Amino acid sequence: MEITVEGLPLDAYIQKKVAEEVAKIAVVPQVSDGFLKGKEAWIWLSEYTGMGRDNLMRKIIKNSAFRTSIDISKNPDTGWVIFPQNRTGGSSGYKFNRKKAIEWLNRKGFVLNAVLR
């Protein structure tokens, strides 16, 4: 004997009710703060510029001529790097604002060979 509810088999009725309840739930997308952190940040920056981490450090991140313009704490308008709080932060201590990085890198000509994303 098959059990029916509102003219539907029980399993179909349960699936229908679950689908209705799930449809009522609003999924709020995660809003990113625009920052890439640690290894993910370095991978993105390497792919975007076509340079390895050592070249990036030497030519951009540790370059005293660029330091003020890329440091968010010193220049919130153009800055796109949050430097590690301690001197031994390594690559995981850096955070990059992707949108501002793209603008700055394009303006300074660091993406001539890169595929723009």
Side-chain angles (χ1 to χ4, degrees):
M1 175 177 194
E2 184 177 20
I3 299 174
T4 61
V5 179
E6 296 179 4
L8 294 172
L10 182 59
D11 59 340
Y13 176 78
I14 291 171
Q15 289 175 351
K16 177 184 170 200
K17 286 298 181 183
V18 168
E20 289 171 358
E21 292 302 313
V22 168
K24 293 178 188 176
I25 299 171
V27 177
V28 179
Q30 293 289 333
V31 177
S32 171
D33 60 2
F35 284 91
L36 298 172
K37 301 168 182 91
K39 187 175 183 178
E40 177 187 6
W42 286 105
I43 291 170
W44 171 80
L45 191 59
S46 293
E47 289 175 353
Y48 189 77
T49 61
M51 289 189 273
R53 185 181 179 281
D54 291 340
N55 277 338
L56 289 166
M57 288 296 280
R58 185 173 49 257
K59 292 181 179 179
I60 300 173
I61 306 298
K62 298 275 182 166
N63 184 326
S64 59
F66 295 142
R67 181 83 181 216
T68 301
S69 69
I70 66 171
D71 189 342
I72 289 175
S73 66
K74 293 179 181 165
N75 194 334
D77 294 330
T78 63
W80 54 275
V81 179
I82 295 178
F83 288 87
Q85 295 300 315
N86 58 25
R87 298 276 180 205
T88 60
S91 62
S92 64
Y94 288 88
K95 296 179 187 174
F96 304 143
N97 180 300
R98 186 171 181 234
K99 182 180 177 185
K100 286 186 176 183
I102 289 170
E103 292 170 4
W104 189 92
L105 292 163
N106 287 332
R107 198 168 51 249
K108 298 292 184 181
F110 281 102
V111 290
L112 296 174
N113 297 324
V115 175
L116 298 178
R117 292 171 176 83

